[in-house]
Amino acid sequence: MNIELAEYDDAWPGLYERERARVLEALPGAVLEHVGSTSVPVLCAKPVVDLLLVVDEPLVEGSYVPALEAAGYRVVVREDDWHEHRVLKGPDTNVNLHVFPRGCAQVRRHVIFRDWLRSSDEDRELYASAKRELAAREWDRVQDYAVAKNGVVLEILERAYSAWRLPSDDVEFVTDDPPHNAPVVLAEYDAAWPDLYAVEAAKIRGALGSGIVRLEHVGSTSVPGLAAKPLIDILLVVPDSNDEDAYVPALVEAGYYLRLREHGWYEHRLLKGVSPKVNLHVFSPRCEEVDRMLAFRDRLRAHDADRREYERTKRELAGRTWARVQDYADAKTRVVERIILRALG
């Protein structure tokens, strides 16, 4: 089969607005975005209007599907193992309504890609050229054409993510370390690191009990075979990271101390432990950064080439001297984003 691309049609935004109104009538207050190529002026596209709908839990279809079915939509795709993704088709327009959970990193991925193509003439033309070249080939399935675009999509997304920043980088230090030259020392992977995590996890569970939504070993010490700073990174999800009274005093009693607050970065809190060295990252549920941290860890665990690429970057950067360890972490951003994008697919 051939892929038929159409030149950009000024009617596409209007079709999106019509479908948006229909969805909002069925689901008042829903979070919706126009994504995909029809959302980018001037860009050629398959004449399919892609909408992105955010719900709390796509797996709980009873909370949104019946209302959409009453409006004429029907579920055509269920991907429980891929971000709980659902696709519904529209009643009288060629529409794909993509459903993702709140806090899923796929939402930002789609929006950043759209916004970057809207603003970058060069990358928009690069993407259009790749689409035209691939569309001229014969494909067994439309999905095969989509997969073939992944290379150029990831190339463009890497530039988009490198340029993108959260609205605020406000950091409030609770306990301050004085500025100092900080050589980064990497250790070879130590099979004891998972055991150290298990001890810390038991300590945290003992302190917080049912106040834990999720607890995970993350960071480089969670990836077998990967060289790392000998520092155990732990991801803790609590009902509300902003409600420090619900978890900070108990964790301080267990031997941790509150290092910093980042109000502009998902209300992130960082607590530290001294022996062993621990970074305890605290977030609320349905937070995109939780999704990203776990996707990065799991990708490194499963893909040797990505693990080697990341380790090469770490070793090269560790050979330098940094004013702050955070500067070393920031220097890894591009390769980290690249690997996360591969993980998100």
Side-chain angles (χ1 to χ4, degrees):
M1 66 179 294
N2 288 111
I3 304 298
E4 295 185 8
L5 295 179
E7 295 304 314
Y8 180 77
D9 189 334
D10 290 333
W12 287 338
L15 291 175
Y16 162 72
E17 290 298 336
R18 189 182 75 176
E19 294 305 310
R20 181 176 185 275
R22 190 183 337 237
V23 172
L24 288 176
E25 185 175 353
L27 300 170
V31 177
L32 280 165
E33 294 280 357
H34 187 189
V35 295
S37 294
T38 62
S39 70
V40 181
V42 186
L43 182 61
C44 59
K46 300 191 304 297
V48 180
V49 176
D50 286 291
L51 287 78
L52 189 152
L53 170 65
V54 180
V55 302
D56 285 339
E57 296 182 72
L59 294 177
V60 185
E61 292 188 2
S63 65
Y64 65 98
V65 169
L68 290 172
E69 287 178 336
Y73 286 87
R74 68 189 190 281
V75 179
V76 295
V77 174
R78 292 182 174 92
E79 295 182 281
D80 292 358
D81 295 333
W82 191 69
H83 310 281
E84 303 177 10
H85 178 232
R86 300 292 190 268
V87 180
L88 293 88
K89 296 296 289 187
D92 52 24
T93 303
N94 198 354
V95 167
N96 284 336
L97 178 59
H98 300 271
V99 183
F100 288 105
R102 198 175 313 278
C104 174
Q106 283 292 339
V107 175
R108 183 179 4 141
R109 180 189 188 277
H110 280 85
V111 171
I112 283 183
F113 188 62
R114 176 199 68 193
D115 291 350
W116 183 258
L117 291 180
R118 286 175 173 177
S119 65
S120 172
D121 295 343
E122 184 176 350
D123 274 338
R124 187 171 60 249
E125 181 55 36
L126 172 65
Y127 188 44
S129 297
K131 283 157 61 84
R132 293 184 192 281
E133 190 275 323
L134 292 170
R137 304 182 192 176
E138 288 282 340
W139 301 95
D140 292 332
R141 303 174 306 156
V142 174
Q143 183 59 28
D144 297 331
Y145 160 77
V147 170
K149 292 189 300 179
N150 275 351
V152 69
V153 169
L154 290 176
E155 177 188 339
I156 294 169
L157 273 168
E158 186 179 328
R159 285 192 284 273
Y161 270 78
S162 296
W164 183 86
R165 292 291 183 270
L166 280 171
S168 171
D169 59 359
D170 177 49
V171 180
E172 176 188 350
F173 290 96
V174 180
T175 53
D176 235 340
D177 290 335
H180 60 286
N181 288 338
V184 176
V185 179
L186 297 181
E188 297 302 319
Y189 179 76
D190 189 334
W193 287 338
D195 296 330
L196 293 176
Y197 162 73
V199 171
E200 296 302 309
K203 186 190 304 183
I204 295 166
R205 292 189 189 281
L208 300 182
S210 62
I212 295 173
V213 176
R214 187 165 191 172
L215 193 63
E216 297 277 355
H217 188 188
V218 294
S220 294
T221 60
S222 70
V223 180
L226 181 61
K229 301 190 304 293
L231 173 70
I232 308 299
D233 281 288
I234 298 175
L235 169 64
L236 170 63
V237 180
V238 297
D240 180 2
S241 62
N242 210 24
D243 182 10
E244 293 182 8
D245 289 344
Y247 64 93
V248 170
L251 290 172
V252 169
E253 182 68 23
Y256 300 96
Y257 66 92
L258 181 59
R259 172 75 171 93
L260 59 83
R261 303 180 180 100
E262 292 182 280
H263 299 291
W265 192 56
Y266 310 104
E267 290 293 351
H268 170 245
R269 302 297 192 269
L270 175 66
L271 291 92
K272 296 184 76 76
V274 176
S275 183
K277 291 183 179 179
V278 171
N279 277 345
L280 179 57
H281 302 274
V282 185
F283 292 101
S284 299
R286 300 192 181 99
C287 169
E288 177 195 339
E289 196 57 29
V290 171
D291 196 19
R292 286 165 47 82
M293 291 173 79
L294 294 174
F296 184 61
R297 179 199 67 187
D298 293 347
R299 178 80 185 188
L300 293 179
R301 285 176 172 177
H303 291 79
D304 292 344
D306 287 331
R307 187 169 61 250
R308 288 193 295 268
E309 178 185 5
Y310 186 48
E311 182 163 317
R312 283 195 303 271
T313 301
K314 284 157 60 84
R315 290 189 185 280
E316 191 277 321
L317 293 173
R320 308 178 191 176
T321 298
W322 302 91
R324 303 175 307 154
V325 174
Q326 184 59 41
D327 296 333
Y328 160 77
D330 290 343
K332 296 187 297 179
T333 295
R334 188 151 192 145
V335 70
V336 169
E337 291 292 355
R338 184 184 308 148
I339 293 170
I340 291 174
L341 288 168
R342 291 173 191 154
L344 294 177

